[in-house]
Amino acid sequence: MTTDSTEERVLAAVRERRERVNAALDEDLPLVEPERLWEASRYLLKAGGKRLRPTVSLLAAEAIADVPPLSVDYRAFPALDGDDIDVMAGALSLEIIQSFTLIHDDIMDDDALRRGVPAVHKAYDVDTAILAGDTLYSTAFEIMAETGAAPENGLEAMRMLANTCTRICEGQALDVEFERRTEVLPEEYLDMVESKTAVLYGDAAATPAVLLDADDEVVDALYDYGIHSGSAFQIQDDVLDLTVPSEQLGKQRGSDLVENKTTLITLHARQQGVDVDALVDAEDAESLTEAEVESAVATLNEAGSIEYAREKARSLVDQSKADLRVLPDNEARSLLEDLAEYLISRGY
Amino acid sequence: MTTDSTEERVLAAVRERRERVNAALDEDLPLVEPERLWEASRYLLKAGGKRLRPTVSLLAAEAIADVPPLSVDYRAFPALDGDDIDVMAGALSLEIIQSFTLIHDDIMDDDALRRGVPAVHKAYDVDTAILAGDTLYSTAFEIMAETGAAPENGLEAMRMLANTCTRICEGQALDVEFERRTEVLPEEYLDMVESKTAVLYGDAAATPAVLLDADDEVVDALYDYGIHSGSAFQIQDDVLDLTVPSEQLGKQRGSDLVENKTTLITLHARQQGVDVDALVDAEDAESLTEAEVESAVATLNEAGSIEYAREKARSLVDQSKADLRVLPDNEARSLLEDLAEYLISRGY
């Protein structure tokens, strides 16, 4: 379990790096002509975001290089082969890809709000949002091409980034497919979560290892760290939807049930014979009552489904911490362990 | 001027390479799971296409390596530094990017037909089309990462591809912006055409030079060849819309005028004091009469506007042929010269 001080340490580490990430974004993603296109492309990135993935990337760089956190310029980071590497560029690249996927996802899901502001296709229009996403897509690759890493490492980082993007698209397609299917196995769901969400964490953690010329063993271990902790993050999202009061959640508790969202919890419940479709009567989140949610949660608890998801997330976080053992025992590694804990201990 | 035999030579060269490009596409873009996503991603590529850009790429490889056309396996092409390079992968990558841009453009323009079949967002739906385009986008980078080129050359080809994609997005944004602006300068229009259309030709021609480790001078000259011939190609499209009978054009002659499309012809005419908005009365292409088009063309001819565009395209093709002088004088180079001529001599 995390203690308050663990959470405080993580939030401080994220906050300290967020400022640097935001400053670097302004440098590498300037507002140039055609201005409306670049304004729309930068809009969501400027609206906020915790910068969790860049934080993972920057902490991984510090853990690999075995330097005290925040002691070295991320733009001129010492590679194991002696070169100065811009690990910040790699971190930005992943954040920009994340932003592109959010913009296009919001069009597909017709979500009106994101980070407390209108989604790009609402603030502008659908055409502009498609094009803004496309612009961020290639910009991420342009930035990743300029890390100063040895060419074989730079090329490998680009190859990994491309593969990550393809897998995200496949994960999104599977998510849509699952809504139409009558049966989905928990393993299939976990595969989908890995593609849709976790590969971006895997890439964020492994990219600095590639750029800094670390051994393949380190690259693979950091990739696994991201996959395991990123998957746990998504499962925790599903748990939170049922277990946290609406005020704290920022949306109606239990809304996943109304939307018939496939989650590890509902998949497990179905396997236990629970009639998941009958858990709530409400047609939309607004008409959902607390009593209905309480009753649904009681049924899911009885079937052991919420505990099943919690245990899965717990086990994935334990795996992610074990993955890190290949790294030197230092403060940055310890923060990466804490960060994995935070992903499943957070209340919202 | 081209003769019939020039055109026949070009069409034969394109046809011969198209078969190989199509076979390679099936190898590098297989129908895998999730099947609906990959089916939608492959749909437009399978529907046809002349494969002009891959042809430019493959001819450039042959011209640089100074080998007889079709004499060497494109998958194991001799680099100047001795390695075997998959120049076909580079060519495919550009064709796949072209396909992604068509899919997203057709959503933005709400064009229902493409290559004689329903556009992807009509054959499937808008969400699937957005995601299919996004999938092709990263797949192109994945394929470009696997050419077997020296890492510094592979990385440079990836960087160029990313820059090409960003410029295409900027060109598309400018095209939309110009529709809203009251005045556009011919130079601004040519910049837009360069970004939206010609950079993809530039990249197609320069990529094999990068992969095969040619001198920077050759890389730059081939890039310029693509920029000049690709720009001429687009200008010729605008000329054809006014000068070729509807039956031959496959759409109503003069439809650009009805749609108030900004072209080099209308920009020149405006500068000469022609009231371009009053050239035709028809509100849509269906109600446009041949007499109206004839009268508009007569006005534009009087202002010298069609001739101005023709001369600009002619001059760009001459430049593109001069760009090639850096290459050895061989049959592939001669075919690239013919191909540039064909781009402005074609009747549709």
Side-chain angles (χ1 to χ4, degrees):
Chain A
M1 289 298 293
T2 54
T3 62
D4 279 356
S5 74
T6 306
E7 182 165 336
E8 278 164 27
R9 288 209 320 147
V10 171
L11 293 179
V14 170
R15 192 174 53 243
E16 286 157 355
R17 282 160 189 82
R18 180 164 59 229
E19 287 166 22
R20 299 183 188 210
V21 169
N22 289 346
L25 269 173
D26 272 336
E27 287 166 18
D28 286 10
L29 206 70
L31 182 56
V32 292
E33 295 286 336
E35 201 170 302
R36 190 165 184 275
L37 173 67
W38 286 104
E39 194 190 79
S41 301
R42 289 156 39 105
Y43 167 87
L44 187 57
L45 283 160
K46 303 291 279 182
K50 287 198 275 296
R51 314 301 186 211
L52 281 180
R53 293 157 198 83
T55 296
V56 165
S57 219
L58 298 173
L59 283 173
E62 291 170 330
I64 297 160
D66 202 13
V67 297
L70 304 174
S71 66
V72 180
D73 182 359
Y74 290 128
R75 295 290 205 177
F77 211 83
L80 303 182
D81 61 5
D83 285 340
D84 273 354
I85 310 295
D86 185 354
V87 292
M88 178 61 88
L92 291 182
S93 185
L94 274 301
E95 184 73 5
I96 290 169
I97 287 294
Q98 159 77 356
S99 188
F100 131 66
T101 64
L102 294 179
I103 294 172
H104 281 191
D105 279 1
D106 285 344
I107 303 172
M108 297 185 221
D109 302 339
D110 200 20
D111 281 334
L113 283 176
R114 171 71 71 175
R115 291 178 179 163
V117 296
V120 178
H121 69 287
K122 296 292 182 187
Y124 295 82
D125 52 62
V126 171
D127 291 356
T128 304
I130 292 174
L131 198 57
D134 290 346
T135 304
L136 290 176
Y137 207 151
S138 50
T139 303
F141 281 90
E142 288 189 276
I143 292 174
M144 187 67 96
E146 305 293 346
T147 61
E152 61 272 24
N153 296 332
L155 181 59
E156 173 61 10
M158 299 280 273
R159 195 198 59 73
M160 276 172 39
L161 186 64
N163 181 251
T164 294
C165 294
T166 303
R167 288 204 59 193
I168 293 171
C169 292
E170 291 181 333
Q172 171 70 13
L174 283 176
D175 201 9
V176 172
E177 186 189 313
F178 288 175
E179 281 173 30
R180 297 173 187 176
R181 270 174 46 184
T182 49
E183 204 192 349
V184 177
L185 299 174
E187 305 84 76
E188 291 180 302
Y189 176 76
L190 289 171
D191 276 348
M192 182 277 284
V193 165
E194 181 173 318
S195 293
K196 191 177 169 177
T197 305
V199 290
L200 206 52
Y201 281 94
D203 203 359
T207 292
V210 169
L211 296 176
L212 296 174
D213 202 43
D215 292 342
D216 287 352
E217 185 196 17
V218 174
V219 174
D220 293 345
L222 279 164
Y223 190 79
D224 289 344
Y225 163 81
I227 293 290
H228 292 137
S229 58
S231 297
F233 172 83
Q234 184 58 53
I235 294 168
Q236 176 68 7
D237 251 10
D238 302 339
V239 171
L240 290 177
D241 181 74
L242 291 170
T243 57
V244 168
S246 302
E247 314 82 74
Q248 194 177 329
L249 208 56
K251 60 171 187 171
Q252 174 60 52
R253 175 181 167 217
S255 57
D256 285 355
L257 291 176
V258 183
E259 292 165 16
N260 281 315
K261 210 183 131 191
T262 299
T263 68
L264 203 54
I265 298 165
T266 62
L267 291 175
H268 178 272
R270 265 187 227 282
Q271 285 193 321
Q272 303 304 307
V274 174
D275 184 356
V276 171
D277 301 325
L279 279 175
V280 294
D281 290 332
E283 297 285 323
D284 49 51
E286 288 73 40
S287 54
L288 193 62
T289 64
E290 274 301 307
E292 263 189 301
V293 180
E294 280 300 339
S295 151
V297 168
T299 306
L300 292 169
N301 268 329
E302 212 170 299
S305 303
I306 295 178
E307 194 49 30
Y308 170 78
R310 268 196 224 277
E311 276 172 19
K312 185 70 202 171
R314 169 79 264 154
S315 145
L316 284 163
V317 166
D318 289 342
Q319 275 181 276
S320 78
K321 288 160 81 172
D323 295 326
L324 296 176
R325 284 191 205 126
V326 69
L327 293 173
D329 186 4
N330 54 34
E331 196 182 336
R333 184 183 108 174
S334 165
L335 282 168
L336 283 172
E337 291 165 0
D338 291 348
L339 199 143
E341 281 292 343
Y342 167 72
L343 292 179
I344 62 161
S345 67
R346 70 202 161 95
Y348 55 94
Chain B
M1 287 299 293
T2 54
T3 61
D4 280 355
S5 74
T6 306
E7 182 165 336
E8 279 164 25
R9 290 212 313 149
V10 170
L11 293 178
V14 170
R15 194 173 52 243
E16 286 158 353
R17 284 162 188 79
R18 180 163 58 228
E19 289 166 19
R20 300 182 187 211
V21 169
N22 289 346
L25 270 173
D26 272 335
E27 288 165 17
D28 286 10
L29 206 70
L31 182 55
V32 292
E33 296 286 336
E35 201 170 303
R36 189 165 184 275
L37 174 67
W38 285 103
E39 193 190 79
S41 301
R42 289 156 40 105
Y43 167 86
L44 186 58
L45 283 160
K46 303 291 280 183
K50 287 198 276 293
R51 316 298 187 213
L52 280 179
R53 292 157 199 83
T55 297
V56 165
S57 219
L58 298 173
L59 283 172
E62 292 171 329
I64 297 160
D66 202 13
V67 296
L70 304 174
S71 67
V72 179
D73 182 1
Y74 290 128
R75 296 289 204 176
F77 211 81
L80 303 182
D81 60 7
D83 285 339
D84 272 355
I85 310 295
D86 186 353
V87 292
M88 178 61 88
L92 291 182
S93 185
L94 273 300
E95 183 72 6
I96 290 169
I97 288 293
Q98 159 75 358
S99 187
F100 131 65
T101 64
L102 295 178
I103 293 172
H104 281 190
D105 279 1
D106 285 346
I107 303 173
M108 298 185 222
D109 302 339
D110 201 19
D111 281 334
L113 284 176
R114 172 70 72 173
R115 291 178 179 163
V117 296
V120 178
H121 69 286
K122 295 293 182 186
Y124 296 83
D125 51 64
V126 171
D127 291 355
T128 304
I130 292 174
L131 198 57
D134 289 346
T135 305
L136 290 176
Y137 207 149
S138 50
T139 303
F141 282 90
E142 287 189 276
I143 292 174
M144 186 66 97
E146 305 292 346
T147 60
E152 62 271 25
N153 297 331
L155 181 59
E156 173 61 10
M158 299 281 274
R159 194 197 59 73
M160 277 172 38
L161 185 64
N163 182 251
T164 294
C165 293
T166 303
R167 288 204 58 194
I168 292 172
C169 292
E170 290 180 332
Q172 171 70 12
L174 283 176
D175 201 9
V176 172
E177 186 189 315
F178 288 175
E179 280 172 31
R180 298 172 187 177
R181 268 171 49 182
T182 49
E183 204 192 349
V184 177
L185 299 174
E187 306 83 76
E188 291 181 300
Y189 176 77
L190 289 171
D191 276 347
M192 183 276 285
V193 165
E194 182 172 317
S195 291
K196 191 178 169 177
T197 304
V199 289
L200 206 52
Y201 280 94
D203 203 358
T207 291
V210 169
L211 297 176
L212 296 173
D213 201 44
D215 292 342
D216 287 351
E217 185 196 17
V218 174
V219 174
D220 293 345
L222 278 164
Y223 190 79
D224 290 344
Y225 162 81
I227 294 289
H228 292 136
S229 57
S231 298
F233 171 83
Q234 184 58 53
I235 294 168
Q236 176 68 7
D237 251 11
D238 302 338
V239 171
L240 290 177
D241 182 74
L242 292 169
T243 56
V244 167
S246 302
E247 313 85 72
Q248 194 177 330
L249 209 56
K251 59 171 186 171
Q252 173 61 51
R253 176 182 168 218
S255 57
D256 285 355
L257 291 176
V258 183
E259 293 164 16
N260 281 315
K261 209 183 133 190
T262 300
T263 69
L264 203 55
I265 298 165
T266 62
L267 290 176
H268 179 272
R270 264 186 227 281
Q271 286 194 321
Q272 303 304 308
V274 174
D275 184 356
V276 171
D277 302 325
L279 278 174
V280 294
D281 289 331
E283 296 285 323
D284 49 51
E286 288 73 40
S287 54
L288 193 63
T289 64
E290 274 302 307
E292 262 189 300
V293 181
E294 278 301 339
S295 152
V297 168
T299 306
L300 292 168
N301 268 329
E302 212 169 297
S305 304
I306 295 178
E307 193 50 29
Y308 170 77
R310 270 196 223 276
E311 275 172 17
K312 186 70 202 170
R314 168 80 264 153
S315 146
L316 285 164
V317 165
D318 289 342
Q319 275 181 275
S320 79
K321 289 160 80 172
D323 295 326
L324 296 175
R325 284 193 206 126
V326 69
L327 294 172
D329 186 3
N330 54 34
E331 197 181 335
R333 184 183 108 175
S334 164
L335 282 167
L336 283 171
E337 291 166 0
D338 290 349
L339 198 143
E341 281 293 343
Y342 167 73
L343 292 178
I344 62 161
S345 66
R346 71 203 160 93
Y348 54 94

